[in-house]
Amino acid sequence: MLLILLSIILITFYASKSNWVISAKKLPNGVYSETQIDEVASVVRLLPIFGFAIMYLAIYSQMSTNFVIQGCQMDIRLFDGEYQLNATSLSAFDSLAIILLVPFFDKILFPFYFRFFGKNPTILQKIGAGFVVSILSMIVAGFVEIQRKNSPFIDYNLTTMPLSDKEIRDYDSRFCNPQNITDLTLPIYCSNDMIKLGCHCQNIENHSYLTGCTNQPMMNYSIWIQSIQFILIGISEILAMTAAYELFYHQVPPKLRSASQVLNILTPCFGSIVAGGLNTIFRFWIKNNINDGKLEFMYFMIAIIMTLNTFFFIIVSQKFKYLPLNDDTVVKEISLIVT
């Protein structure tokens, strides 16, 4: 991860100016034509945007990592506890936000922006706005985590011994168990230490059974609250990821568009690596039972890093020069843009 961060810094510093690529024109014997050099330089100038997008994709990766951990210890019960909602299902709100809000942005918001400012938002302005919305999603996730930890445990009072099937099911519904697994097969001694790990005891036919040791206690705070942070990431995708595809397609020569899109598609990969690296570095905040950790600090830390990332992105984007969208004039304009 540290190598990736160092690479991002070097890419941002050196690729923002493509003079070192243009210097290849001075090579003897005309190894490369001036057109080839200019075309390569047009791709190199996009590398700083590639670097800044990596941190954004680290936030995008939260939907399949820390959001799931957080959701698992919220109230995920359905139908009076008979079933549990898998915490990964909330990612559907991300997709729904994109499907429902793309027409809103395209038909209402962007035309309103044009009427108000007299011009359409640039590609980099859309990306920057997406970065800002992703920061908001981390802030919301942090406050949701604070509220979740301050909520009471889902309570259930044991009544009779041995327990009926319904009482066992109701008792198990207090714990996050997306696979709906109840293991009541082996008699195991129930200690207080094991109960603290999220395990719970059942006394059936004079035997103590330890169940759900991989499960964690749920708090009485509905998982549906998480939909807000998923929707915010969906909005950020409409702004940032759609604009990134446009940038890496239209701002390079036609013959290099495939190579340019490869760079764009690589950002989720590096974003996941950065997200995993951050979780490793700050693993003391993310406990097996997150009630004992500080997951909200993780979210706020990511928000701070992304804020700095966005700040430097704005500075670098001020110097970016756009190529015309007409393919016939792109090649003619490249030498003017990259020098």
Side-chain angles (χ1 to χ4, degrees), residues 53-111:
I54 290 175
M55 190 59 215
Y56 166 74
L57 270 300
I59 289 181
Y60 176 82
S61 298
Q62 299 302 305
M63 291 194 296
S64 58
T65 54
N66 290 334
F67 282 9
V68 176
I69 297 172
Q70 181 185 45
C72 195
Q73 288 190 240
M74 300 174 75
D75 189 351
I76 60 176
R77 296 174 299 172
L78 296 174
F79 305 110
D80 196 28
E82 187 171 354
Y83 300 99
Q84 290 186 354
L85 178 71
N86 194 310
T88 59
S89 302
L90 269 289
S91 61
F93 283 99
D94 168 72
S95 302
L96 287 174
I98 295 172
I99 294 171
L100 298 177
L101 293 179
V102 162
F104 169 78
F105 277 84
D106 189 44
K107 301 297 183 182
I108 299 177
L109 188 59
F110 291 150

Side-chain angles (χ1 to χ4, degrees), residues 91 106 120 160 174 230 239 266:
S91 61
D106 189 44
N120 290 316
T160 60
R174 298 168 55 207
F230 280 97
L239 292 165
L266 272 176

Side-chain angles (χ1 to χ4, degrees), residues 28 69 151 213:
I69 297 172
S151 300
C213 295

Side-chain angles (χ1 to χ4, degrees), residues 1-2 4-5 8 53-67 69 138 267-283 286 295 298-299 301-302 305:
M1 177 190 159
L2 292 177
I4 292 178
L5 294 177
I8 293 173
I54 290 175
M55 190 59 215
Y56 166 74
L57 270 300
I59 289 181
Y60 176 82
S61 298
Q62 299 302 305
M63 291 194 296
S64 58
T65 54
N66 290 334
F67 282 9
I69 297 172
M138 289 296 96
T267 51
C269 172
F270 288 112
S272 296
I273 294 173
V274 170
L278 289 173
N279 277 4
T280 301
I281 293 172
F282 299 104
R283 59 185 177 276
I286 307 175
L295 184 59
M298 187 67 192
Y299 289 136
M301 175 62 71
I302 294 175
I305 295 173

Side-chain angles (χ1 to χ4, degrees), residues 29 31 49 53 59 62 91 105 116 150 158 234 236 243 263 271 284 290-291 321:
N29 303 323
V31 178
I49 312 303
I59 289 181
Q62 299 302 305
S91 61
F105 277 84
F116 190 80
N150 289 335
L158 300 180
S236 74
L263 287 175
F284 46 84
I290 59 174
N291 291 331
K321 298 178 182 179

